[in-house]
Amino acid sequence: MLSPETDAGTAKPAAAWSTSVGLGGGVLRSIHIGELPLEAGGALPSVTMAFECWGTLNEAGDNAVLIQHALTGSTHVSRGDSEEDGWWEGLVGPGEVIDTDKFFVVCANMLGGCYGTTGPSSVAADGRPYGSRFPFVTIRDSVEAEARLADRLGISSWYAVIGGSMGGARALEWAASHPDRVRRCAVVASCAASTAEQIAFAQAQVLAIRQDPNFAGGDYYDGAPPTLGLGLARRIAHITYRSEEEMGGRFGRDAQDGATISHGRLEAPGDSRYKVESYLDHQAHKLVGRFDANSYIAITEALMSHDVARGRGTLEEALAETAGVEFVVAAVNSDRLYFPAQSEELAAALPGQVPVARIDSPIGHDGFLTEVAAVGGLLKESFFRD
Amino acid sequence: MLSPETDAGTAKPAAAWSTSVGLGGGVLRSIHIGELPLEAGGALPSVTMAFECWGTLNEAGDNAVLIQHALTGSTHVSRGDSEEDGWWEGLVGPGEVIDTDKFFVVCANMLGGCYGTTGPSSVAADGRPYGSRFPFVTIRDSVEAEARLADRLGISSWYAVIGGSMGGARALEWAASHPDRVRRCAVVASCAASTAEQIAFAQAQVLAIRQDPNFAGGDYYDGAPPTLGLGLARRIAHITYRSEEEMGGRFGRDAQDGATISHGRLEAPGDSRYKVESYLDHQAHKLVGRFDANSYIAITEALMSHDVARGRGTLEEALAETAGVEFVVAAVNSDRLYFPAQSEELAAALPGQVPVARIDSPIGHDGFLTEVAAVGGLLKESFFRD
């Protein structure tokens, strides 16, 4: 891994950089980008951006693709040289839709995250984790940090920036903030601005964590973390990620032990679980084991703040500068967190005629993750036809 | 109010009972119904049913209407002689759709509730509140308790049983459990059985309370109640009670102080609130001031258990005995907690041809409460044509 110290200098020529360090795909790396001014005022004094990459940046530095992860996503889009499948496995690799024999693919951990980029669990200048001292950051702040990472990597403009859900918000913000550095932009299962309902569900999640006594105002790193609160936040979120039909079809009213729920619940009150409860327990447990609660709050609040038009006039005005960007906007037909109508609203506000592609999935919002073949097909017929 | 002691005896003749105590409308009353065996096994040793009533039971005892409240509803359907408007104000009264010059209207607090009926906050035989000792009760248990209340009141069969949301579940369970005692049944914005998604959202709410350290396993009556947990449960629930369009139209991304949310949130991180957050805070605050957390859990778990077909074969078989009951099934078109499809499924399983009436409202599930005129119109053209 590149250490912050060795990499804190000026950007190196791209091809030389990527060649010189012999990048293996799918392995976490990090680069120090220095002080980052924040949209809310103030600055983060010393920011490290963590990322993974696959393939090789060409001499012209024009074959780079940025893939943006979702709320609790990591940088691990694809297995690469690692032992672990990525969250969009099969989309990125030699001969795949995003062909790493041709493209240099990057996925950076969002600012405030817990997968290597500076976040609340990072050590501040005084040697202690930021905790409650970590400032409010926005989607726009993360894009600025990612732009500095791109500078360091020698990427002057992206062949494409691609993201789903919060990753879509980040992709869109890239196009609006740096239209000269984004040639293609795919916004999947996302929107131009977080809605009242999305803010409402997000508030419940943030409160679930903050109300956990272990949270200790955010300064819990010396003690037990707020796992119950984070688990509840995940349960709330996960319900919104799935459709009613999907949960009904998979679990119905069945009890975990195979009994009818009446008997299950009635014979052992408090012990017996509906299958859907056990499933949500499992989802909560998995997240708690891999995610920091403060990062969950930081990124959730950043997503609550998402509004590509903030300070830029109307939505159409905010997007007017993106006329040179080729867009793909896609929605999951059964999504009830980022409704297809929000994709339609975004597409209608973009310059030119941008149709909304539909990803058919009964699963709900998470279709952007599970329907890799559909997402791949969409990207292949648009950005990656060759 | 009738005390449990004076009323613990056998049922009195109906008209004599209602006349003798000179019932004023809209005032809380209670009747002791003795020991109640529970569906889960065991029994509640001494149950008091609280209720309000309006109008006068006739000599034949055949003009009684039962209105069933929803999850956090009270017995106070209508102002009557009280100072406070009811939750279906305008529907019940002299000359109203449910004309109290003709009908004797009853609304009973559900078993496990906190509006006077025996629940977790009630004092057990040892002089202390039940708390964690309150047993698991089902919708069916509450209907049995209500049947005993009807016995005491001298009501052999109801002219109509009417309910929305969980009240609809209770109304339906009345028809299935006692088809000979229900002549008409209105099930509004409800379903035949709670779905996986409804159970999932309910689990999150129950956990929010249980994870509040003040909950103390349910035995918090000597200390501070789990208001933060109950407030969070209410926030989660309230989002599901409203449509995305309704929240978007009312609040959008606005900040509470009138600034754009960017400035509001950015200038005072942690202090500034989105309007929708402030709204949900208000909803939480209101409920916490009027509802017991243990009752919230008890009734929510009862609703999770709702399945009119439990132990009765298929849904069609479970409802076959209701052939003599006239049904109204209605759905709110924008309801995304009790989807209209669930009303369709129920109606299709009922004997005979039962159409599903639509209540047009942009508001979502809560339309069953807010669209009193629509509910009234529906009832007037079906059960109360005279």
Side-chain angles (χ1 to χ4, degrees), chain A residues 197 262 265 301 310 336, chain B residues 262 265 301 310 336:
Chain A
E197 173 172 303
S262 59
R265 182 68 179 95
E301 292 194 335
R310 180 169 58 248
R336 47 78 168 276
Chain B
S262 60
R265 181 69 180 94
E301 292 195 333
R310 181 169 58 247
R336 46 81 168 273

Side-chain angles (χ1 to χ4, degrees), chain B residues 185-188 327-331 343-344 346-347 350 354-358 378:
Chain B
C185 180
V187 182
V188 180
F327 274 95
V328 164
V329 177
S343 290
E344 299 283 355
L346 167 61
L350 286 168
V354 178
V356 175
R358 293 292 173 117
L378 186 62

Side-chain angles (χ1 to χ4, degrees), chain A residues 39-56:
Chain A
E39 193 184 359
L44 264 171
S46 174
V47 173
T48 296
M49 290 297 288
F51 65 101
E52 293 184 35
C53 54
W54 301 260
T56 305

